[in-house]
Amino acid sequence: MTEPMIEMRGVNKWFGDFHVLRDIDLTVAEGEKVVICGPSGSGKSTVVRLISRLEVHETGTIRVSGGDPSQASGRDVGMVFQQFNLFPHLTVLQNLTLGPRKALKLSRAEAEDRARRFLARVKIPEQEGKRPGQLSGGQQQRVAIARALCMEPKVMLFDEPTSALDPEMIAEVLDVMVELAEGGMTMVVVTHEMGFARKVADRMVFMDQGEIVETGPPAAFFERPKSERCRTFLGQILSH
Amino acid sequence: MRAILLLLLLGGCASGTNWGWYVIDPTTPAGWTNIKFLVGGMGATIQLSLIAAALSITLGLIVALPALSERRALRIVNRVYVEVIRAIPLLPMLFWVFYGLPIIFRQMGLTVPIDPFWGAIITLAVSDSAFTAEIYRAGIQSIARGQTEAAKTIGLSYAQTMRYVVLPQAVRRILPPLANQFIYIVKMSAFASVIGMQELTRRANELVVTEYRPLEIYTLLILEYLVLVLIISAAVRWLERRMGADER
């Protein structure tokens, strides 16, 4: 068996007195797509924020692509945020080239080549001169995905990528994510888009109150949830 | 009502026995010489203000950065600096720098002469830096946390995040209050007169002593500052418009 891409062992995290994550064990293999769902406050965002090293955990270990768990490189991991977090003062192209030029030390021409390649992949090659504020929410989120991809990460993390979008924009973002999944990218996605989860996920993870309550392949997960908490949650989000 | 007051004032200026505009009448040789003497302090006031402001915005940024640190000790350093410097009135600080600091230098075995020009600049810059530091801090903290997080996930270092992501956005919010501080520095530079710096206020004081015409001379002095500040205000508005247009 090959080395797992992400390995979390006995991870605990507190915000002050609040115990956000309890003994999280989660392993993600190379190329695997994991969808995490659960009620708000369940700690699901914190899991991806720990993997991307935006937060620090108190106990346990987190390894990404076999790296030293203490080392905070962060470059193997791409992150897509709910609020896009594009840089509003830069053009789309500059948003994409900033990381490659400054962190990876690529030349401007190399970085721009790469940026245009990924802009084409998220299907907005014609917007490179615009600023984020001139784009729709769906376009902004696709730019954010391209920005993360420009760092050529081994893992892509998505923290509720469609939750801030108007309904008509959700599909265009999910389409890009489906294509990315089909291309073999390792992905961890926090989302309530259960249609997307059914189509893409290799494994579902249900979290509640800082714990992983249930995991399993989507078919079994949606048809026969084992725990009462998971049944209730799925009943709530799938009922309408 | 207001028109009547204005008429009274103008009437007083023109004909009242209290006024003696001859002292700064440009049509007479003596009046013209006096005007040249008074306005001659303008260069020093501008120099003082510009250099002090440049130092203050540099020093202010250096002081502000620890405030944004996650380390408590660094934040305390910032707090202490800001609270202490902000609490010292300008004039006592000016006396301390001009008369006191050279003694400290001498005891350390150094001969660092502090002339009125540099004494005033150091005082203005340090005193103002506590305020500019607070302006930077507020401006930088107003940039959403998501921006620094996004920068981190694309591998940027702290310095790169500041340089390419945070400061370019913060500067638009920082500039207007910073310009206000510059106006404040221009006005506070008048205190340099008390340690003998030959700027606008000092020249006015010296002329009052020889001509005994405080009303006319100080009126002109106020007009000089007014013109200077209005020019700065106009320049700042122009700059703001340009940067605003750039953002859209």
Side-chain angles (χ1 to χ4, degrees), chain A residues 112-140:
Chain A
E112 288 184 353
D113 272 0
R114 184 185 278 196
R116 293 199 173 100
R117 206 166 72 232
F118 284 114
L119 273 182
R121 253 177 82 177
V122 300
K123 304 184 194 72
I124 31 177
E126 70 287 355
Q127 311 282 12
E128 64 169 55
K130 289 194 181 165
R131 297 199 188 250
Q134 298 169 294
L135 304 180
S136 73
Q139 288 173 323
Q140 289 190 49

Short mmCIF file of all heavy atoms in Angstrom, two decimals, chain A residues 112-140:
data_model
loop_
_atom_site.label_atom_id
_atom_site.label_comp_id
_atom_site.label_asym_id
_atom_site.label_seq_id
_atom_site.Cartn_x
_atom_site.Cartn_y
_atom_site.Cartn_z
N GLU A 112 2.66 33.36 -16.07
CA GLU A 112 1.49 33.75 -16.87
C GLU A 112 1.03 32.62 -17.77
O GLU A 112 -0.18 32.40 -17.96
CB GLU A 112 1.79 35.02 -17.67
CG GLU A 112 1.84 36.24 -16.75
CD GLU A 112 2.05 37.55 -17.49
OE1 GLU A 112 2.29 37.52 -18.72
OE2 GLU A 112 1.98 38.60 -16.82
N ASP A 113 1.98 31.88 -18.32
CA ASP A 113 1.62 30.69 -19.13
C ASP A 113 0.79 29.73 -18.30
O ASP A 113 -0.26 29.25 -18.73
CB ASP A 113 2.89 29.94 -19.56
CG ASP A 113 3.42 30.49 -20.87
OD1 ASP A 113 2.79 31.43 -21.39
OD2 ASP A 113 4.46 29.99 -21.34
N ARG A 114 1.29 29.47 -17.12
CA ARG A 114 0.62 28.53 -16.22
C ARG A 114 -0.77 29.06 -15.86
O ARG A 114 -1.75 28.33 -15.89
CB ARG A 114 1.46 28.36 -14.96
CG ARG A 114 0.91 27.33 -14.02
CD ARG A 114 1.72 27.28 -12.75
NE ARG A 114 2.93 26.49 -12.88
CZ ARG A 114 3.64 26.04 -11.83
NH1 ARG A 114 3.24 26.31 -10.61
NH2 ARG A 114 4.74 25.34 -12.00
N ALA A 115 -0.85 30.35 -15.52
CA ALA A 115 -2.12 30.96 -15.12
C ALA A 115 -3.15 30.84 -16.24
O ALA A 115 -4.31 30.50 -16.00
CB ALA A 115 -1.91 32.42 -14.75
N ARG A 116 -2.71 31.10 -17.48
CA ARG A 116 -3.66 31.04 -18.61
C ARG A 116 -4.14 29.62 -18.84
O ARG A 116 -5.29 29.37 -19.19
CB ARG A 116 -3.00 31.60 -19.87
CG ARG A 116 -2.73 33.08 -19.76
CD ARG A 116 -2.50 33.76 -21.09
NE ARG A 116 -2.42 35.20 -20.85
CZ ARG A 116 -1.27 35.88 -20.78
NH1 ARG A 116 -0.11 35.26 -20.96
NH2 ARG A 116 -1.29 37.17 -20.53
N ARG A 117 -3.24 28.66 -18.61
CA ARG A 117 -3.62 27.25 -18.77
C ARG A 117 -4.75 26.91 -17.79
O ARG A 117 -5.75 26.30 -18.16
CB ARG A 117 -2.39 26.38 -18.48
CG ARG A 117 -2.41 25.04 -19.16
CD ARG A 117 -1.04 24.39 -19.13
NE ARG A 117 -0.67 23.91 -17.81
CZ ARG A 117 0.48 24.21 -17.19
NH1 ARG A 117 1.36 24.99 -17.77
NH2 ARG A 117 0.73 23.71 -16.00
N PHE A 118 -4.60 27.36 -16.53
CA PHE A 118 -5.62 27.01 -15.53
C PHE A 118 -6.88 27.85 -15.69
O PHE A 118 -7.98 27.37 -15.40
CB PHE A 118 -5.04 27.13 -14.12
CG PHE A 118 -4.14 25.98 -13.77
CD1 PHE A 118 -2.79 26.17 -13.56
CD2 PHE A 118 -4.65 24.68 -13.70
CE1 PHE A 118 -1.95 25.10 -13.26
CE2 PHE A 118 -3.82 23.61 -13.39
CZ PHE A 118 -2.46 23.83 -13.18
N LEU A 119 -6.74 29.08 -16.19
CA LEU A 119 -7.94 29.88 -16.47
C LEU A 119 -8.78 29.20 -17.54
O LEU A 119 -10.01 29.20 -17.48
CB LEU A 119 -7.56 31.29 -16.93
CG LEU A 119 -7.34 32.33 -15.84
CD1 LEU A 119 -7.03 33.68 -16.48
CD2 LEU A 119 -8.55 32.45 -14.93
N ALA A 120 -8.10 28.62 -18.52
CA ALA A 120 -8.83 27.89 -19.56
C ALA A 120 -9.53 26.68 -18.95
O ALA A 120 -10.65 26.34 -19.31
CB ALA A 120 -7.87 27.45 -20.67
N ARG A 121 -8.86 26.04 -18.01
CA ARG A 121 -9.47 24.85 -17.39
C ARG A 121 -10.70 25.19 -16.58
O ARG A 121 -11.61 24.37 -16.47
CB ARG A 121 -8.44 24.15 -16.50
CG ARG A 121 -7.97 22.87 -17.16
CD ARG A 121 -6.92 22.18 -16.37
NE ARG A 121 -7.42 21.38 -15.27
CZ ARG A 121 -6.64 20.66 -14.49
NH1 ARG A 121 -5.33 20.64 -14.70
NH2 ARG A 121 -7.13 19.95 -13.51
N VAL A 122 -10.73 26.37 -15.96
CA VAL A 122 -11.95 26.75 -15.22
C VAL A 122 -12.89 27.56 -16.11
O VAL A 122 -13.85 28.15 -15.63
CB VAL A 122 -11.63 27.51 -13.91
CG1 VAL A 122 -10.80 26.65 -12.99
CG2 VAL A 122 -10.94 28.83 -14.19
N LYS A 123 -12.57 27.61 -17.41
CA LYS A 123 -13.44 28.15 -18.46
C LYS A 123 -13.72 29.64 -18.35
O LYS A 123 -14.82 30.11 -18.63
CB LYS A 123 -14.79 27.39 -18.47
CG LYS A 123 -14.63 25.88 -18.64
CD LYS A 123 -15.97 25.22 -18.74
CE LYS A 123 -15.88 23.73 -18.57
NZ LYS A 123 -15.59 23.35 -17.16
N ILE A 124 -12.71 30.42 -17.95
CA ILE A 124 -12.87 31.87 -18.04
C ILE A 124 -11.60 32.52 -18.58
O ILE A 124 -11.07 33.46 -17.99
CB ILE A 124 -13.24 32.53 -16.69
CG1 ILE A 124 -12.64 31.74 -15.53
CG2 ILE A 124 -14.72 32.73 -16.54
CD1 ILE A 124 -12.90 32.37 -14.19
N PRO A 125 -11.09 32.03 -19.72
CA PRO A 125 -9.83 32.60 -20.22
C PRO A 125 -9.95 34.07 -20.59
O PRO A 125 -8.98 34.80 -20.55
CB PRO A 125 -9.53 31.74 -21.46
CG PRO A 125 -10.85 31.20 -21.89
CD PRO A 125 -11.64 31.02 -20.64
N GLU A 126 -11.17 34.53 -20.90
CA GLU A 126 -11.32 35.89 -21.44
C GLU A 126 -11.35 36.96 -20.35
O GLU A 126 -11.37 38.13 -20.64
CB GLU A 126 -12.59 35.99 -22.31
CG GLU A 126 -13.90 35.92 -21.57
CD GLU A 126 -14.26 34.53 -21.04
OE1 GLU A 126 -13.54 33.54 -21.33
OE2 GLU A 126 -15.27 34.41 -20.33
N GLN A 127 -11.31 36.56 -19.05
CA GLN A 127 -11.48 37.54 -17.97
C GLN A 127 -10.17 37.95 -17.31
O GLN A 127 -10.18 38.60 -16.27
CB GLN A 127 -12.40 36.97 -16.88
CG GLN A 127 -13.68 36.36 -17.38
CD GLN A 127 -14.71 37.40 -17.74
OE1 GLN A 127 -14.39 38.58 -17.82
NE2 GLN A 127 -15.94 36.98 -17.97
N GLU A 128 -9.04 37.58 -17.88
CA GLU A 128 -7.79 37.73 -17.13
C GLU A 128 -7.43 39.17 -16.77
O GLU A 128 -6.74 39.40 -15.80
CB GLU A 128 -6.62 37.09 -17.91
CG GLU A 128 -6.33 37.76 -19.24
CD GLU A 128 -5.02 37.28 -19.83
OE1 GLU A 128 -4.85 36.07 -19.98
OE2 GLU A 128 -4.16 38.14 -20.12
N GLY A 129 -7.93 40.15 -17.54
CA GLY A 129 -7.57 41.53 -17.25
C GLY A 129 -8.49 42.21 -16.25
O GLY A 129 -8.25 43.33 -15.83
N LYS A 130 -9.57 41.52 -15.88
CA LYS A 130 -10.54 42.15 -14.99
C LYS A 130 -10.15 42.00 -13.53
O LYS A 130 -9.33 41.17 -13.17
CB LYS A 130 -11.92 41.51 -15.19
CG LYS A 130 -12.55 41.87 -16.52
CD LYS A 130 -14.02 41.52 -16.53
CE LYS A 130 -14.63 41.86 -17.87
NZ LYS A 130 -15.94 41.21 -18.04
N ARG A 131 -10.79 42.82 -12.70
CA ARG A 131 -10.60 42.68 -11.26
C ARG A 131 -11.71 41.82 -10.70
O ARG A 131 -12.81 41.77 -11.26
CB ARG A 131 -10.61 44.04 -10.58
CG ARG A 131 -9.46 44.88 -11.08
CD ARG A 131 -9.12 46.02 -10.18
NE ARG A 131 -8.14 46.85 -10.86
CZ ARG A 131 -6.87 46.94 -10.50
NH1 ARG A 131 -6.44 46.28 -9.45
NH2 ARG A 131 -6.03 47.70 -11.16
N PRO A 132 -11.45 41.14 -9.57
CA PRO A 132 -12.46 40.25 -9.00
C PRO A 132 -13.83 40.90 -8.84
O PRO A 132 -14.85 40.26 -9.10
CB PRO A 132 -11.86 39.88 -7.64
CG PRO A 132 -10.40 39.95 -7.86
CD PRO A 132 -10.19 41.10 -8.83
N GLY A 133 -13.86 42.18 -8.44
CA GLY A 133 -15.12 42.86 -8.23
C GLY A 133 -15.99 42.97 -9.48
O GLY A 133 -17.18 43.23 -9.39
N GLN A 134 -15.38 42.78 -10.66
CA GLN A 134 -16.14 42.88 -11.90
C GLN A 134 -16.72 41.54 -12.33
O GLN A 134 -17.38 41.45 -13.36
CB GLN A 134 -15.24 43.42 -13.02
CG GLN A 134 -14.70 44.82 -12.75
CD GLN A 134 -13.62 45.19 -13.75
OE1 GLN A 134 -12.54 44.61 -13.77
NE2 GLN A 134 -13.91 46.18 -14.58
N LEU A 135 -16.43 40.49 -11.58
CA LEU A 135 -16.88 39.15 -11.95
C LEU A 135 -18.07 38.72 -11.10
O LEU A 135 -18.28 39.22 -10.00
CB LEU A 135 -15.76 38.13 -11.75
CG LEU A 135 -14.43 38.38 -12.47
CD1 LEU A 135 -13.46 37.26 -12.16
CD2 LEU A 135 -14.64 38.48 -13.97
N SER A 136 -18.84 37.76 -11.62
CA SER A 136 -19.92 37.18 -10.82
C SER A 136 -19.32 36.28 -9.74
O SER A 136 -18.15 35.92 -9.80
CB SER A 136 -20.85 36.37 -11.72
OG SER A 136 -20.19 35.17 -12.10
N GLY A 137 -20.15 35.92 -8.76
CA GLY A 137 -19.67 35.06 -7.69
C GLY A 137 -19.13 33.73 -8.21
O GLY A 137 -18.08 33.26 -7.77
N GLY A 138 -19.84 33.15 -9.16
CA GLY A 138 -19.40 31.87 -9.72
C GLY A 138 -18.06 32.00 -10.42
O GLY A 138 -17.18 31.14 -10.28
N GLN A 139 -17.92 33.10 -11.16
CA GLN A 139 -16.64 33.32 -11.84
C GLN A 139 -15.52 33.53 -10.83
O GLN A 139 -14.41 33.02 -11.00
CB GLN A 139 -16.75 34.55 -12.76
CG GLN A 139 -17.62 34.30 -13.99
CD GLN A 139 -17.85 35.58 -14.79
OE1 GLN A 139 -18.00 36.66 -14.22
NE2 GLN A 139 -17.89 35.45 -16.10
N GLN A 140 -15.82 34.28 -9.78
CA GLN A 140 -14.79 34.53 -8.76
C GLN A 140 -14.34 33.22 -8.12
O GLN A 140 -13.15 33.00 -7.90
CB GLN A 140 -15.33 35.46 -7.66
CG GLN A 140 -15.52 36.87 -8.12
CD GLN A 140 -15.83 37.81 -6.95
OE1 GLN A 140 -15.14 37.81 -5.94
NE2 GLN A 140 -16.86 38.60 -7.10
#
